[in-house]
Amino acid sequence: MRTLALVTASGAALLTAGAPAPVTLAVAGDPDPALAAPAPAPRPLLPAVPLALVAQVHRAPARAHRSGPASAPARDREGTEVGAAELLARASACEQVSKGEYRTDEAASPTVPVCGAGGAVFWKADLDIDCDGRTTAACNAATDPAFHGDTAFHASDGRPLNAAELPYVVVPAPSGTWDYAKSGIHGGGVVAVVHGEKVEYAVVGDVGPERIIGEASYATAKSLGIDPDPSSGGAPSGVTYILFKGSRVSPVEDHEAAVRTGRALAGEFVRGG
C-alpha cells in the first residue's frame, strides 16, 4: 500500500507570492513514474524597473517643450532685437506735434521740433549734461557751475535723483510751444536715447527751461560713450530722444525696469504700434 504525504512548507511560501502551492508526494514502495516526475520549475520573476528611470522618461518631453521655439516670440515682444538703426529709421520722418521749435542752447536759433509717431514723441538735438540732484563726487557745485541740488521728480525715498548713477532725460517746461503732459509724457516715463550705434533706456527725470531742449543726465551720457563732464562734456548734435507715451517706471530709479519696458516699447514703435 502506498502512503501519500503533502509537504506544505514551500507551498506556504509560494502562496505568499501569489502563486499556487506545488504538491510533493512521498510514495512507499516503487514509485509511480507519473507521480515521481519532478514539478515544473517556477517561472522566473521579471526584474524590477527603477522608479527613477520611469520618472526620467516622463520628464523628458517637458524639457524638450520648454527649450523649443515657443520662447522666440517673447524675445521679440521685449524688443531685444531692436537696434539704433531701426529706431532712427522709424524716427526719420517728423509729424510735428509742437506749435513751434526749440533751441539747443540759449544763444542758438530755434530749429528743433517735437515730432510724433507710433505711440511716442521724439526730437533730435544735442546732449547737454544735467548733473542736478543728489550731491555726489561727479555732480556737485565744484564740478558743475550750474549745479542745482534738486530734480523735478524724486526717487521713492523722496530724495532728488542721482544724475551720476541714473540715466534720465530732461523735458522742456510746459509752454505754448509744447506741454509734455498733454502728450502723455510723465515723470518716470521711459525714453530711448540713441547716439551713433548705441541705445540707452532712461526715464524722464527733470524739467528744464521752456525754450531749450536736448539734455540728459551724467549717467546717460556716460553709457552712450559721450563725455559726461558737466563743464566740458556733452554732444553738439546727433542725439535722438524717443519718449514713449503713457509709460511710467515705479520707482523711478529702477533702471532695470526702464530697460525692460523700453525694449518692449521700442519693438512696438519700430513695428508701427
Side-chain angles (χ1 to χ4, degrees):
M1 178 178 180
R2 297 175 181 164
T3 303
L4 302 178
L6 297 175
V7 180
T8 61
S10 61
L14 290 173
L15 283 172
T16 305
V23 178
T24 302
L25 301 178
V27 182
D30 296 332
D32 187 329
L35 294 176
R43 298 171 64 184
L45 297 176
L46 293 174
V49 178
L51 292 177
L53 179 59
V54 177
Q56 291 173 4
V57 172
H58 283 283
R59 285 198 300 266
R63 288 196 299 269
H65 177 72
R66 287 195 298 267
S67 61
S71 58
R75 289 196 297 270
D76 291 340
R77 285 193 297 269
E78 292 177 359
T80 54
E81 298 180 2
V82 173
E86 294 170 283
L87 288 169
L88 292 176
R90 183 71 173 95
S92 60
C94 177
E95 182 179 338
Q96 186 167 331
V97 297
S98 60
K99 295 180 179 179
E101 296 176 333
Y102 286 91
R103 306 171 187 268
T104 56
D105 295 294
E106 190 63 46
S109 300
T111 58
V112 180
V114 176
C115 310
V121 296
F122 58 90
W123 57 82
K124 302 172 185 180
D126 62 345
L127 191 152
D128 293 328
I129 307 299
D130 188 336
C131 238
D132 292 345
R134 299 186 195 182
T135 298
T136 63
C139 294
N140 54 67
T143 61
D144 181 6
F147 178 76
H148 181 60
D150 200 4
T151 50
F153 307 105
H154 291 171
S156 56
D157 60 3
R159 300 171 64 191
L161 301 180
N162 186 337
E165 294 185 0
L166 180 66
Y168 71 75
V169 302
V170 181
V171 293
S175 69
T177 303
W178 180 61
D179 184 340
Y180 64 87
K182 292 181 179 179
S183 288
I185 306 302
H186 312 282
V190 181
V191 187
V193 187
V194 186
H195 178 254
E197 297 180 354
K198 294 185 177 181
V199 180
E200 177 59 84
Y201 293 100
V203 293
V204 176
D206 205 359
V207 175
E210 291 183 3
R211 298 184 301 172
I212 297 177
I213 205 167
E215 190 174 4
S217 69
Y218 180 106
T220 306
K222 185 176 181 180
S223 66
L224 290 170
I226 297 171
D227 181 1
D229 188 295
S231 297
S232 59
S237 61
V239 180
T240 300
Y241 304 78
I242 303 171
L243 291 71
F244 300 108
K245 295 181 179 181
S247 62
R248 181 175 288 172
V249 172
S250 182
V252 66
E253 68 269 22
D254 189 346
H255 181 55
E256 291 184 0
V259 171
R260 289 194 304 271
T261 304
R263 285 175 175 169
L265 294 174
E268 294 178 7
F269 177 70
V270 166
R271 291 189 293 270

